[in-house]
Amino acid sequence: MTSQCFLSTCHPTSLRTCHHHHSTYPLQLLPRSSPSFIGGRRAGMNRRLTMTRASETRVLQEGIAELYDESSWLWESLWGDHMHHGFYDPDASVSGSDHRAAQTRMIEEALRFAGVSEDPSKSPKSVVDVGCGIGGSSRYLARKFGAKCQGITLSPVQAQRANALAAAQGLADKVSFQVADALEQPFPDGEFDLVWSMESGEHMPDKTKFINELARVAAPGATIIIVTWCHRDLTPSEESLQTWEKELLDKICNAYYLPAWCSTSDYVKLLDSFGLLDVKAADWSQYVAPFWPAVIRSAFTWKGFISLMRSGFKTIKGALAMPLMIEGYKKDLIKFAIITCRKPV
C-alpha cells in the first residue's frame, strides 16, 4: 500500500504514488553484488528517470498552457477578472448569490486569514501572483495596497490579456505579467513581501520545488498565501486513499491537467520542513460550496453553451468534468484549502 505523495512528479493523465517516509527521491534501487555495477546502474536509471520526469512535466505544462489559452476568454466573458472560487456564507444558495462579489471576498478572506496588515506602513509593497490567470488578483492587490505586482502564468494568451486589462484600467505602472514557470521563477531571491498563489498549486507537479520557489522569492518576513485544491487528510490508520477516491481524482486530473493531488497536512509538513513560521491551514470547503454548481449553470445558459461549443476540445472536456468536482466535495474527498506562513526575518 502506498500514499499520495506531495514530492512526486506526475504525468497529467495518471496519479503517481510513493511512500511519504522516503528520505530520497528518485526511488532506491535493489543492490547487486558489484559496487561499480550498482553505481553505474543507479546513475543510468536516475538519468532516465530524470529525463522521463522532465518530459512528463513538459507535456503537463503544455497541456495547462493550451487549456488556458483556449478557455480564458470564455471564463472572462461569463465570470469576469477572477479565475478562482468564490467565498460564500455557509448557507448561501446558488441562485441567490453574487458570485463575482464572492470571488472578491475570497481575496479579502485570504488576506485576513494570513494576517496581512492594511496599515499603509506595514502593508505589502511588492507582490508576486503565481499562476496569475488574467491578472484579477494582481490588479485588486495593486489597488488595495498601492503595491507593485508581477504575475506569472504558463499561458501566453493570459499574460497578454492581463497586460491589456492593466493598461485599460490605468494600472500598467503597477502591474505586469509574463509567461514563466512557477517552479523556476524569473525573479531574484527575496524580491516580494507578499507571495500569492490563488488556485495554482494544484497544477504543480513537484510540490517541494513549488514551495522552495515561493520561499526563495519571498523577502525576509514576507507572507506566503497558498489557496489550493487538496484531497482529504489520511487517518492515522490509512496508508493511501481508497481505490474509488483515486479513480475519481484521476478523472479530474485528466480533464484539468493536474499532477498527483496532496493533502493539506502534506503542505503543512512541507512548509514546516523549510523552516517557515506561523504555518496555518484551514478547510474552506463549506465556504465554496455554491461555486461549481454556479459555474455549471453559467456554462449551460445560451451564451455559455454557444461560447463553450466555440472554445475547443480541452475546454469542453473540462466543462464535462465539473460534476466530478461537485461529487468530490460532497463525498469529502476534495478539500478547498488555505495554507499560509511567514518567511523568517
Side-chain angles (χ1 to χ4, degrees):
M1 295 283 287
T2 57
S3 57
Q4 294 295 324
C5 182
F6 58 88
L7 301 179
S8 66
T9 301
C10 179
H11 192 277
T13 58
S14 65
L15 291 172
R16 289 284 178 86
T17 56
C18 66
H19 290 292
H20 281 309
H21 57 263
H22 281 173
S23 58
T24 58
Y25 193 84
L27 50 85
Q28 297 171 355
L29 304 174
L30 295 174
R32 292 288 184 91
S33 57
S34 165
S36 60
F37 176 85
I38 294 172
R41 179 73 179 275
R42 179 176 288 132
M45 288 189 69
N46 285 353
R47 277 196 299 273
R48 287 194 293 276
L49 193 56
T50 299
M51 290 173 65
T52 299
R53 282 211 200 105
S55 175
E56 289 176 347
T57 298
R58 188 164 55 251
V59 169
L60 174 67
Q61 290 179 336
E62 287 172 356
I64 293 167
E66 290 167 3
L67 173 63
Y68 288 114
D69 280 351
E70 189 180 278
S71 64
S72 292
W73 70 271
L74 171 59
W75 183 271
E76 183 186 355
S77 71
L78 296 175
W79 282 76
D81 280 6
H82 299 293
M83 301 182 69
H84 57 77
H85 282 66
F87 189 104
Y88 304 82
D89 292 330
D91 58 350
S93 67
V94 176
S95 58
S97 297
D98 183 336
H99 299 290
R100 295 195 185 195
Q103 289 176 303
T104 300
R105 183 180 174 190
M106 175 63 73
I107 297 174
E108 288 291 343
E109 294 289 348
L111 294 169
R112 180 197 56 77
F113 182 85
V116 176
S117 176
E118 297 197 8
D119 181 338
S121 66
K122 299 176 182 177
S123 63
K125 302 299 184 292
S126 58
V127 180
V128 61
D129 186 354
V130 180
C132 61
I134 57 172
S137 290
S138 291
R139 290 188 296 277
Y140 187 90
L141 295 169
R143 289 193 192 95
K144 181 178 179 67
F145 297 120
K148 284 193 173 291
C149 301
Q150 297 190 62
I152 57 174
T153 172
L154 291 172
S155 165
V157 170
Q158 284 187 336
Q160 183 179 16
R161 181 60 180 157
N163 282 316
L165 288 169
Q169 296 170 19
L171 291 168
D173 62 328
K174 286 288 188 184
V175 297
S176 62
F177 305 93
Q178 62 181 300
V179 176
D181 181 358
L183 304 183
E184 295 181 15
Q185 296 185 35
F187 307 118
D189 297 356
E191 181 80 355
F192 303 101
D193 47 21
L194 175 59
V195 176
W196 179 268
S197 172
M198 177 60 72
E199 296 188 53
S200 64
E202 55 270 19
H203 281 301
M204 304 301 167
D206 186 331
K207 300 296 192 281
T208 303
K209 200 170 182 182
F210 173 51
I211 296 301
N212 182 71
E213 277 295 271
L214 298 185
R216 182 186 67 78
V217 301
T223 298
I224 298 172
I225 299 177
I226 303 164
V227 180
T228 190
W229 313 351
C230 291
H231 68 61
R232 65 173 178 84
D233 289 338
L234 301 181
T235 66
S237 62
E238 289 180 307
E239 292 186 3
S240 72
L241 294 172
Q242 297 176 40
T243 299
W244 73 265
E245 293 175 314
K246 294 177 184 177
E247 290 173 350
L248 179 57
L249 293 182
D250 200 17
K251 292 175 184 176
I252 295 170
C253 283
N254 290 341
Y256 297 124
Y257 294 90
L258 305 178
W261 292 55
C262 69
S263 68
T264 307
S265 63
D266 289 334
Y267 267 112
V268 170
K269 291 172 190 172
L270 197 49
L271 293 169
D272 284 337
S273 75
F274 276 88
L276 296 161
L277 306 177
D278 302 332
V279 178
K280 295 195 304 177
D283 175 10
W284 279 3
S285 302
Q286 65 172 322
Y287 300 114
V288 302
F291 179 75
W292 283 96
V295 173
I296 291 175
R297 182 175 292 191
S298 70
F300 291 100
T301 61
W302 181 248
K303 176 184 176 182
F305 181 76
I306 295 300
S307 299
L308 187 61
M309 292 302 101
R310 289 173 45 214
S311 62
F313 172 73
K314 289 182 173 63
T315 306
I316 293 170
K317 186 171 73 169
L320 293 174
M322 289 190 289
L324 300 177
M325 289 293 295
I326 295 175
E327 181 183 353
Y329 278 123
K330 285 184 174 178
K331 292 182 175 178
D332 288 326
L333 168 60
I334 296 175
K335 299 295 182 181
F336 189 88
I338 180 168
I339 311 104
T340 67
C341 61
R342 184 170 53 83
K343 187 171 179 176
V345 175

